[in-house]
Amino acid sequence: MKPRLLYALAICLPASLATAGGSDLDGNVEDLELGAYFFGEAKDVKGLKPLEGVRITALKKGTKMPVMASTDEDGRFKIPGFGKEVNSDDITVACSKTGWKLLDLSRRKMANDGDAPVEIECLMEKL
């Protein structure tokens, strides 16, 4: 190959990998530099079936503007990072869906670091 072509490939390949990458809801995450993020699922407490369309709200202590997400058809969601300087303990998470009430919200930090991913599970009951 000619040096110019190699140079062009060396420049384009990392950029294309970065845009093709990202993360999925199964835990393959490439955006750890964004700081603490939240992921998880919402389930019907009866039969533990996934719930689609549950609103997940995350609010950083001292702010008034929440970050929101909704669960997909598999009952899963992901809220991206709040930044390296934000400790996940300073984020309040809530789950809601019309016609349903929240019975239990559990959170599990994936590591002891302040910016470690946090898994959320919302168990809900139909009204």
Side-chain angles (χ1 to χ4, degrees):
M1 277 191 198
K2 296 190 179 211
R4 283 188 190 179
L5 182 57
L6 285 173
Y7 180 72
L9 285 173
I11 291 174
C12 294
L13 186 59
S16 65
L17 289 174
T19 57
S23 62
D24 62 34
L25 295 173
D26 293 326
N28 298 325
V29 179
E30 297 174 3
D31 60 356
L32 293 177
E33 71 277 358
L34 295 178
Y37 67 92
F38 296 82
F39 70 98
E41 57 191 345
K43 299 177 185 176
D44 180 350
V45 74
K46 293 181 183 174
L48 297 178
K49 295 180 183 176
L51 287 177
E52 182 178 7
V54 175
R55 182 183 303 175
I56 312 299
T57 306
L59 182 64
K60 181 182 169 210
K61 199 181 287 185
T63 65
K64 294 182 182 181
M65 186 64 120
V67 176
M68 291 192 264
S70 289
T71 56
D72 63 12
E73 62 190 19
D74 295 323
R76 297 181 179 181
F77 72 91
K78 179 179 175 196
I79 296 176
F82 285 83
K84 279 275 195 198
E85 71 285 351
V86 177
N87 188 317
S88 61
D89 295 334
D90 293 336
I91 308 292
T92 302
V93 178
C95 306
S96 63
K97 182 175 173 91
T98 303
W100 292 78
K101 74 175 181 178
L102 180 65
L103 293 180
D104 185 46
L105 186 146
S106 62
R107 41 188 300 157
R108 184 176 71 137
K109 213 181 233 190
M110 300 281 97
N112 289 329
D113 298 339
D115 64 350
V118 179
E119 182 179 16
I120 302 291
E121 182 180 61
C122 302
L123 294 179
M124 303 186 79
E125 181 177 61
K126 189 139 179 101
L127 295 175

